[in-house]
Amino acid sequence: MTTAVQVLANGLLYGSVLSLVSVGISLVFGVMNVLNFAQGAMVAIGVYLGYFVVGQAGWPLIVAVPLGVLAGLALGVLAQRVALYRISSVEPLRPLLATFGLGLLVVGLLGALFTTDIRAYEGPLRGSLNLGGVKLPTQSVALGLAGLAIVGVIYYVVYHSRFGLGLRATTQHREAAASCGVNLDKMDAIAFGLGTAIAVGGGVLLSIRYPAYPTIGDAWLLQGLVAAIIGGLRSILGGVVGAMVVGVVFTALTYVTGNSQVASLLIYVTLGLLILVRGGGVLKQA
């Protein structure tokens, strides 16, 4: 029984962090109808930012994470304006390929600037917490809670702000929103900016536990896509639910098989079955 609770707790904590990727993907897809394949590369930028700002410069994490969120917001708006502004209204394949190319460009730039060497630092919050016989690494608990906090802020912005109303209207029906005076170009920029902000801020958090190297975001992107698809691709809450499902399943399968790669493969099989059973995902509305 204790083992099952341990696996469940670890899975939920992992899912809390994964939600930083899946929610960003869901937000961008809901507003722009584009799968953002650059999300993993943005996570990598955040991990490098955390390495240099926290690990090398010695800034406190409580300052570095908001810095990462703001930097990601600016970077996302810039990327949308440069790479997606003129093609976001055409057929979905072109903007999808643009995000894929953007991700490759970022990974290539990271490799050129910092080489492929693995960079890591000794993060804070060492040790573990013992909660009724369930031992949880302190870093995992902090990452999970901080991840949910960032997602919670984004949720509040989307559901309790004026431009959040515009985002939700655009998600439900772009043409109808435009006819009511919503600036679609502005909504696209905000959505991509928020999605990137979540990824970069999440990457800063991940740096306290995971090393920095150019392709670190790839695995997070793949699992984040699975979580977003399970959650319905247009739902913030669905992205969180999907991330929790993937986190628990991945952790359980890793424990049973003893191999995280096998666990990842089985997750993709599970995704295929879920799509067959419920193609629209868990939650459909943003």
Side-chain angles (χ1 to χ4, degrees):
M1 182 63 180
T2 302
T3 301
V5 175
Q6 179 80 60
V7 170
L8 177 62
N10 286 332
L12 291 176
L13 290 175
Y14 183 84
S16 300
V17 179
L18 184 60
S19 66
L20 292 168
V21 181
S22 62
V23 167
I25 292 173
S26 297
L27 181 61
V28 171
F29 186 86
V31 174
M32 301 177 61
N33 202 33
V34 174
L35 276 177
N36 182 15
F37 281 98
Q39 192 79 346
M42 301 306 173
V43 171
I45 289 176
V47 177
Y48 272 101
L49 181 62
Y51 169 77
F52 286 110
V53 172
V54 180
Q56 301 301 305
W59 288 30
L61 196 63
I62 196 171
V63 174
V65 172
L67 174 66
V69 170
L70 292 175
L73 180 63
L75 178 61
V77 171
L78 177 63
Q80 191 277 333
R81 288 298 182 184
V82 173
L84 297 170
Y85 176 69
R86 296 186 181 277
I87 62 175
S88 59
S89 60
V90 300
E91 73 277 4
L93 181 60
R94 289 179 63 184
L96 183 149
L97 291 176
T99 65
F100 184 75
L102 177 62
L104 292 178
L105 175 63
V106 169
V107 171
L109 287 175
L110 290 176
L113 290 172
F114 308 117
T115 73
T116 57
D117 294 342
I118 294 177
R119 302 166 184 260
Y121 65 95
E122 185 175 350
L125 305 174
R126 293 289 176 176
S128 60
L129 301 176
N130 192 328
L131 304 175
V134 177
K135 293 185 178 180
L136 300 173
T138 306
Q139 285 185 347
S140 296
V141 175
L143 283 173
L145 293 177
L148 288 180
I150 292 176
V151 171
V153 170
I154 298 300
Y155 181 87
Y156 181 86
V157 168
V158 172
Y159 282 88
H160 298 279
S161 69
R162 184 167 183 174
F163 59 80
L165 178 62
L167 287 173
R168 286 183 282 126
T170 306
T171 298
Q172 293 173 4
H173 200 291
R174 287 182 67 88
E175 290 75 16
S179 67
C180 293
V182 175
N183 187 326
L184 296 184
D185 291 334
K186 181 179 178 181
M187 293 301 105
D188 288 348
I190 291 174
F192 205 85
L194 288 176
T196 304
I198 300 173
V200 176
V204 174
L205 282 173
L206 290 174
S207 70
I208 71 174
R209 187 168 185 181
Y210 297 92
Y213 54 93
T215 58
I216 186 175
D218 290 354
W220 291 99
L221 171 64
L222 291 175
Q223 291 194 3
L225 280 170
V226 172
I229 292 171
I230 290 174
L233 269 179
R234 296 180 182 275
S235 168
I236 291 178
L237 290 178
V240 175
V241 172
M244 295 301 179
V245 171
V246 171
V248 172
V249 172
F250 176 74
T251 303
L253 290 176
T254 300
Y255 174 79
V256 172
T257 64
N259 189 318
S260 60
Q261 293 181 340
V262 173
S264 295
L265 176 62
L266 292 175
I267 281 179
Y268 302 136
V269 173
T270 303
L271 169 65
L273 294 176
L274 283 173
I275 290 177
L276 289 175
V277 174
R278 186 174 175 82
V282 178
L283 297 174
K284 298 181 180 181
Q285 298 301 320

